[in-house]
Amino acid sequence: MQRPLIIFDCDGVLVDSEPLAAIAFERVYRKHGMTITAEIVGQCIGMKEADIITRIHELTGHAFPEHATDDFWVETQALFAEDLEPTRGILPFLQMLRGPRCVASSSSMKRIALSLEVTGLAGFFGDEVFSTSMVRHGKPAPDIFLFAAERLGSAPASSVVIEDSPFGIQGAVAAGMTAIGFTGGSHTYPGHAEKLTAAGAHAICADWPEVERELARRGFIAGAIAEG
Protein backbone atom coordinates (compact mmCIF):
# COMPACT_ATOMS: atom_id res chain seq x y z
CA MET A 1 0.00 0.00 0.00
CA GLN A 2 1.40 3.41 -0.97
CA ARG A 3 2.13 5.81 1.83
CA PRO A 4 -0.02 8.90 1.41
CA LEU A 5 1.48 12.03 -0.09
CA ILE A 6 0.51 15.22 1.72
CA ILE A 7 0.62 18.24 -0.60
CA PHE A 8 0.61 21.68 1.03
CA ASP A 9 -0.22 24.95 -0.62
CA CYS A 10 2.15 27.62 0.74
CA ASP A 11 0.41 30.99 0.98
CA GLY A 12 -2.43 30.95 3.49
CA VAL A 13 -1.76 27.32 4.46
CA LEU A 14 1.84 26.99 5.61
CA VAL A 15 2.48 30.72 5.97
CA ASP A 16 0.08 33.51 6.89
CA SER A 17 1.01 35.58 3.87
CA GLU A 18 -2.19 36.55 2.11
CA PRO A 19 -2.81 39.83 4.01
CA LEU A 20 0.79 40.90 3.33
CA ALA A 21 0.54 39.94 -0.33
CA ALA A 22 -2.63 42.01 -0.66
CA ILE A 23 -0.84 45.02 0.84
CA ALA A 24 2.01 44.54 -1.64
CA PHE A 25 -0.36 44.51 -4.59
CA GLU A 26 -2.23 47.59 -3.34
CA ARG A 27 1.03 49.52 -2.83
CA VAL A 28 2.50 48.61 -6.21
CA TYR A 29 -0.67 49.44 -8.11
CA ARG A 30 -0.88 52.75 -6.23
CA LYS A 31 2.75 53.47 -7.14
CA HIS A 32 1.71 53.24 -10.77
CA GLY A 33 -1.34 55.45 -10.36
CA MET A 34 -4.03 52.77 -9.96
CA THR A 35 -6.21 52.02 -6.95
CA ILE A 36 -7.27 48.49 -6.04
CA THR A 37 -8.72 47.12 -2.83
CA ALA A 38 -7.94 44.11 -0.67
CA GLU A 39 -11.31 42.71 -1.73
CA ILE A 40 -10.23 42.76 -5.38
CA VAL A 41 -6.95 41.01 -4.56
CA GLY A 42 -8.90 38.54 -2.43
CA GLN A 43 -10.75 37.35 -5.51
CA CYS A 44 -7.41 36.27 -6.98
CA ILE A 45 -6.07 34.18 -4.08
CA GLY A 46 -4.56 30.95 -5.34
CA MET A 47 -3.53 32.29 -8.75
CA LYS A 48 0.00 32.86 -9.98
CA GLU A 49 1.16 36.47 -10.33
CA ALA A 50 0.58 36.80 -14.08
CA ASP A 51 -2.96 35.47 -13.73
CA ILE A 52 -3.65 37.83 -10.83
CA ILE A 53 -2.61 40.81 -12.96
CA THR A 54 -4.91 39.59 -15.75
CA ARG A 55 -7.79 39.06 -13.32
CA ILE A 56 -7.38 42.52 -11.78
CA HIS A 57 -7.49 43.96 -15.29
CA GLU A 58 -10.74 42.09 -15.92
CA LEU A 59 -12.26 43.26 -12.62
CA THR A 60 -11.11 46.88 -12.64
CA GLY A 61 -9.92 47.80 -16.12
CA HIS A 62 -6.47 48.63 -14.71
CA ALA A 63 -3.75 47.48 -17.12
CA PHE A 64 -0.54 47.02 -15.18
CA PRO A 65 2.63 47.92 -17.13
CA GLU A 66 4.57 44.80 -18.09
CA HIS A 67 7.93 46.45 -17.53
CA ALA A 68 7.15 47.01 -13.84
CA THR A 69 6.22 43.52 -12.65
CA ASP A 70 9.49 43.21 -10.69
CA ASP A 71 8.04 45.81 -8.30
CA PHE A 72 5.75 43.12 -6.85
CA TRP A 73 8.70 41.02 -5.71
CA VAL A 74 10.55 44.02 -4.25
CA GLU A 75 7.53 45.04 -2.17
CA THR A 76 6.59 41.49 -1.20
CA GLN A 77 10.14 40.60 -0.18
CA ALA A 78 10.34 43.58 2.16
CA LEU A 79 6.99 42.83 3.80
CA PHE A 80 7.70 39.12 4.21
CA ALA A 81 11.16 39.65 5.66
CA GLU A 82 9.68 41.95 8.30
CA ASP A 83 6.31 40.45 9.20
CA LEU A 84 5.67 36.98 7.74
CA GLU A 85 4.64 34.28 10.24
CA PRO A 86 3.74 30.59 9.88
CA THR A 87 0.07 29.74 10.26
CA ARG A 88 -0.88 29.00 13.84
CA GLY A 89 -0.27 25.38 14.79
CA ILE A 90 1.57 24.32 11.64
CA LEU A 91 4.92 23.74 13.38
CA PRO A 92 3.77 20.94 15.74
CA PHE A 93 1.78 19.42 12.88
CA LEU A 94 4.86 19.23 10.66
CA GLN A 95 6.99 17.96 13.53
CA MET A 96 4.76 14.90 13.91
CA LEU A 97 4.26 14.30 10.20
CA ARG A 98 6.00 11.28 8.67
CA GLY A 99 6.18 10.11 5.10
CA PRO A 100 6.10 11.97 1.79
CA ARG A 101 5.14 15.62 1.78
CA CYS A 102 5.72 18.56 -0.53
CA VAL A 103 4.76 22.14 -1.31
CA ALA A 104 2.79 22.96 -4.49
CA SER A 105 2.24 26.70 -4.82
CA SER A 106 1.23 29.31 -7.36
CA SER A 107 4.03 31.56 -6.10
CA SER A 108 7.45 31.81 -7.73
CA MET A 109 10.23 29.59 -6.42
CA LYS A 110 12.08 32.56 -4.93
CA ARG A 111 8.97 33.69 -3.07
CA ILE A 112 8.27 30.16 -1.77
CA ALA A 113 11.90 29.84 -0.66
CA LEU A 114 11.75 33.16 1.18
CA SER A 115 8.44 32.27 2.83
CA LEU A 116 9.69 28.92 4.12
CA GLU A 117 13.06 30.32 5.23
CA VAL A 118 11.65 33.33 7.10
CA THR A 119 9.11 31.17 8.95
CA GLY A 120 11.52 28.34 9.78
CA LEU A 121 9.65 25.73 7.72
CA ALA A 122 12.17 25.11 4.93
CA GLY A 123 13.75 22.10 6.65
CA PHE A 124 10.47 20.19 6.64
CA PHE A 125 10.37 20.03 2.84
CA GLY A 126 13.94 20.07 1.53
CA ASP A 127 13.86 19.99 -2.25
CA GLU A 128 10.24 18.84 -2.46
CA VAL A 129 8.95 22.28 -3.39
CA PHE A 130 7.08 22.93 -6.63
CA SER A 131 5.79 26.07 -8.32
CA THR A 132 3.23 26.49 -11.07
CA SER A 133 6.08 28.12 -13.00
CA MET A 134 7.19 24.51 -13.61
CA VAL A 135 4.01 23.51 -15.43
CA ARG A 136 1.98 24.79 -18.34
CA HIS A 137 -1.21 25.77 -16.54
CA GLY A 138 -1.64 27.29 -13.09
CA LYS A 139 -4.42 26.57 -10.63
CA PRO A 140 -7.35 25.81 -11.05
CA ALA A 141 -5.79 23.41 -13.57
CA PRO A 142 -4.51 20.19 -11.93
CA ASP A 143 -1.05 20.41 -13.52
CA ILE A 144 0.99 21.34 -10.45
CA PHE A 145 -0.55 18.64 -8.28
CA LEU A 146 -0.10 15.91 -10.87
CA PHE A 147 3.47 17.09 -11.44
CA ALA A 148 4.25 16.91 -7.73
CA ALA A 149 2.71 13.45 -7.33
CA GLU A 150 4.65 12.13 -10.33
CA ARG A 151 7.92 13.54 -9.00
CA LEU A 152 7.36 11.84 -5.65
CA GLY A 153 6.09 8.60 -7.17
CA SER A 154 2.62 8.82 -5.66
CA ALA A 155 -0.73 8.06 -7.25
CA PRO A 156 -3.35 10.83 -7.20
CA ALA A 157 -5.73 8.59 -5.22
CA SER A 158 -3.04 8.30 -2.53
CA SER A 159 -2.53 12.06 -2.34
CA VAL A 160 -4.26 14.69 -0.22
CA VAL A 161 -4.04 18.42 -0.92
CA ILE A 162 -4.46 21.11 1.75
CA GLU A 163 -5.59 24.37 0.16
CA ASP A 164 -7.11 27.67 1.26
CA SER A 165 -8.34 28.90 -2.13
CA PRO A 166 -11.22 27.77 -4.35
CA PHE A 167 -8.80 27.69 -7.31
CA GLY A 168 -6.49 25.32 -5.46
CA ILE A 169 -9.37 23.10 -4.39
CA GLN A 170 -10.62 22.91 -7.97
CA GLY A 171 -7.17 21.89 -9.14
CA ALA A 172 -6.85 19.19 -6.49
CA VAL A 173 -10.26 17.74 -7.33
CA ALA A 174 -9.43 17.80 -11.05
CA ALA A 175 -6.24 15.88 -10.24
CA GLY A 176 -8.28 13.13 -8.58
CA MET A 177 -6.91 13.88 -5.12
CA THR A 178 -8.57 14.35 -1.75
CA ALA A 179 -8.98 18.10 -1.21
CA ILE A 180 -9.04 19.57 2.29
CA GLY A 181 -10.08 23.21 2.53
CA PHE A 182 -8.12 25.13 5.16
CA THR A 183 -9.62 28.22 6.83
CA GLY A 184 -7.02 28.72 9.56
CA GLY A 185 -5.22 31.70 8.03
CA SER A 186 -5.83 35.24 9.25
CA HIS A 187 -7.26 36.13 5.82
CA THR A 188 -10.26 33.83 6.27
CA TYR A 189 -13.61 35.56 5.84
CA PRO A 190 -17.36 34.94 6.23
CA GLY A 191 -18.35 32.47 3.54
CA HIS A 192 -14.78 31.18 3.04
CA ALA A 193 -15.67 27.61 4.02
CA GLU A 194 -18.76 27.67 1.83
CA LYS A 195 -16.71 28.79 -1.19
CA LEU A 196 -14.22 25.98 -0.64
CA THR A 197 -17.05 23.48 -0.33
CA ALA A 198 -18.63 24.79 -3.53
CA ALA A 199 -15.27 24.37 -5.27
CA GLY A 200 -15.35 20.68 -4.35
CA ALA A 201 -13.50 20.38 -1.03
CA HIS A 202 -14.06 17.00 0.57
CA ALA A 203 -13.68 18.52 4.04
CA ILE A 204 -13.14 21.91 5.67
CA CYS A 205 -10.70 22.37 8.57
CA ALA A 206 -10.29 25.53 10.62
CA ASP A 207 -7.00 24.58 12.29
CA TRP A 208 -4.20 22.01 12.18
CA PRO A 209 -5.53 19.69 14.91
CA GLU A 210 -8.70 19.47 12.83
CA VAL A 211 -6.62 18.62 9.75
CA GLU A 212 -4.94 15.83 11.71
CA ARG A 213 -8.30 14.41 12.77
CA GLU A 214 -9.60 14.59 9.19
CA LEU A 215 -6.54 12.77 7.87
CA ALA A 216 -7.10 10.06 10.45
CA ARG A 217 -10.80 9.76 9.64
CA ARG A 218 -10.06 9.32 5.94
CA GLY A 219 -7.31 6.78 6.45
CA PHE A 220 -4.43 9.01 5.42
CA ILE A 221 -2.97 8.93 8.92
CA ALA A 222 -1.50 5.45 8.54
CA GLY A 223 2.20 5.89 7.95
CA ALA A 224 1.83 9.66 7.73
CA ILE A 225 1.57 10.78 11.36
CA ALA A 226 3.98 9.74 14.09
CA GLU A 227 2.43 7.65 16.84
CA GLY A 228 2.05 9.26 20.24
Side-chain angles (χ1 to χ4, degrees), residues 43-183:
Q43 295 184 48
C44 308
I45 288 175
M47 292 179 167
K48 60 184 178 182
E49 183 180 286
D51 292 341
I52 292 174
I53 293 170
T54 298
R55 182 60 175 152
I56 290 174
H57 186 196
E58 293 170 350
L59 292 170
T60 67
H62 295 322
F64 193 83
E66 291 184 14
H67 70 272
T69 54
D70 286 349
D71 290 355
F72 292 114
W73 172 238
V74 173
E75 190 67 44
T76 300
Q77 186 175 21
L79 286 167
F80 280 19
E82 184 71 24
D83 295 320
L84 186 62
E85 298 285 344
T87 54
R88 183 176 300 179
I90 185 59
L91 183 58
F93 180 86
L94 291 174
Q95 287 172 333
M96 72 172 67
L97 190 65
R98 299 292 181 266
R101 89 288 301 273
C102 68
V103 179
S105 171
S106 294
S107 291
S108 66
M109 286 298 292
K110 61 184 178 181
R111 173 168 157 172
I112 301 169
L114 175 66
S115 297
L116 297 179
E117 189 64 36
V118 165
T119 56
L121 302 182
F124 291 105
F125 298 98
D127 294 330
E128 310 303 346
V129 177
F130 309 106
S131 164
T132 53
S133 63
M134 299 174 172
V135 296
R136 183 172 183 180
H137 301 293
K139 305 172 188 178
D143 299 29
I144 186 62
F145 299 123
L146 294 173
F147 179 78
E150 181 179 6
R151 287 285 293 269
L152 275 74
S154 296
S158 299
S159 304
V160 57
V161 176
I162 305 171
E163 269 280 359
D164 69 311
S165 78
F167 295 117
I169 292 293
Q170 289 171 9
V173 172
M177 300 176 178
T178 297
I180 295 180
F182 184 71
T183 60

